[in-house]
Amino acid sequence: QAVTRVDVGGRLYDMDVRLRPLGRSGELAITINDFRKYFSHGGGQVWERQALCKARPVWGSGIAQVTTMNCIREILSQGNWTPQLTQQVLEHRLELQRDSSRHNMKRGIGGTMDVEFVVQLLQLIHVKDHPQLLIPGTLDALRALQATQVLEAEVAEQLYADYEFLRRVESAIRLMNMSARHELPQSDRELQQLAFLMSASRNSPPMASSQIIPRCDQVRANCRRTFNAVFERYLPISDSA
C-alpha cells in the first residue's frame, strides 16, 4: 500500500502482488535461495522469465544487489530455448492485445509491448552466448542487441526511434492525468494538449496536433512489421509458415 497509493505526488510504483512466485498462496518476499529453487525446479513460467529481463535492484546493500542480479542471470541462462517457448511468448502478447482497444499505445497492435516482447525474446534466446544482453532498459538492450549483431543495425535503429517516440507519447498522456493512461486521445482539444506536452518535454517547436495520430499509426505499423518478422524467425516451422 505504501508504494501503490496515489497522493498529491502521484504513485511511486504500480505493483501487483498477485504476480509473486506461487501467487496469493506465496510469501510476499522470499529469500534468494527460494527464488532460485522456484525457477530451477521448473516452477517459473515463460512470462516470468520475460519479466526478469527488466529486473533491477532498487534497494539493498551492494552485495545484496550483486547477488540478486547474478541469480537472475543464472536463472535466465538455464535450459535450452525452443520454438515452442517462442510460441508461448507470442500467445501471451496476442492475449494482452485482445484485451486492449486499438488506441492503446502500450498493449494495442504495434504498441510499446511489441518492441519490449521482441527485445525480451531475443535476450532469452541469446543470453547464453551474449550475457551482456541482460540490460533491464529496453533502449539500452536494443543497443546491446545491435552491438552483438543479434539485431541488424537498421532494424535496431528503427525500433529504437519508434520505441522512443511511443514512450514520449505515453509520458505526455500520463501528464494529462487521464483515467486511461495508455489510450491515445481522439478529440481535437485533447490532441492539442498532447502535442503541447510532447513538444515541451523536448524543448522543441510545438508538434501539430493533426500530425499525432498519423505519426502514431506509422510508427505502430513499423513496430508490428518488425515484431512479426522476428517472431516468425524463431517460431516452430509449422506455425511460421
Side-chain angles (χ1 to χ4, degrees), residues 222-240:
N222 291 341
C223 292
R224 180 45 63 101
R225 276 195 297 270
T226 301
F227 175 90
N228 288 338
V230 171
F231 271 81
E232 286 173 3
R233 192 185 311 167
Y234 296 103
L235 282 170
I237 293 177
S238 59
D239 294 315
S240 59

Side-chain angles (χ1 to χ4, degrees), residues 89-238:
V89 176
L90 175 62
E91 290 172 357
H92 183 206
R93 172 66 186 104
L94 296 180
E95 181 181 355
L96 292 168
Q97 176 184 305
R98 281 192 291 270
D99 294 333
S100 67
S101 76
R102 65 188 182 91
H103 302 304
N104 193 293
M105 301 298 291
K106 180 178 182 178
R107 292 183 290 126
I109 295 175
T112 54
M113 273 194 170
D114 270 20
V115 183
E116 291 165 0
F117 270 59
V118 165
V119 168
Q120 291 159 18
L121 176 72
L122 295 176
Q123 286 176 310
L124 291 170
I125 291 173
H126 297 282
V127 62
K128 279 188 175 182
D129 296 327
H130 304 288
Q132 66 270 37
L133 291 178
L134 287 184
I135 303 174
T138 299
L139 291 174
D140 289 337
L142 279 169
R143 291 299 190 210
L145 289 166
Q146 179 179 350
T148 54
Q149 299 183 336
V150 171
L151 265 182
E152 298 86 347
E154 183 179 354
V155 175
E157 292 288 350
Q158 185 68 58
L159 279 180
Y160 191 102
D162 289 342
Y163 185 76
E164 195 173 41
F165 174 80
L166 292 176
R167 289 306 302 266
R168 183 178 162 206
V169 174
E170 277 191 317
S171 296
I173 292 174
R174 292 185 181 186
L175 291 175
M176 294 171 67
N177 200 27
M178 299 172 63
S179 57
R181 295 185 299 159
H182 302 288
E183 297 290 323
L184 183 66
Q186 299 299 301
S187 73
D188 290 341
R189 182 184 63 82
E190 289 176 333
L191 286 171
Q192 289 171 6
Q193 184 180 2
L194 180 62
F196 172 79
L197 290 169
M198 289 176 63
S199 299
S201 66
R202 288 299 186 90
N203 296 317
S204 57
M207 181 178 186
S209 59
S210 60
Q211 297 176 347
I212 293 179
I213 291 179
R215 175 63 176 151
C216 287
D217 289 344
Q218 178 188 24
V219 167
R220 293 174 64 180
N222 291 341
C223 292
R224 180 45 63 101
R225 276 195 297 270
T226 301
F227 175 90
N228 288 338
V230 171
F231 271 81
E232 286 173 3
R233 192 185 311 167
Y234 296 103
L235 282 170
I237 293 177
S238 59

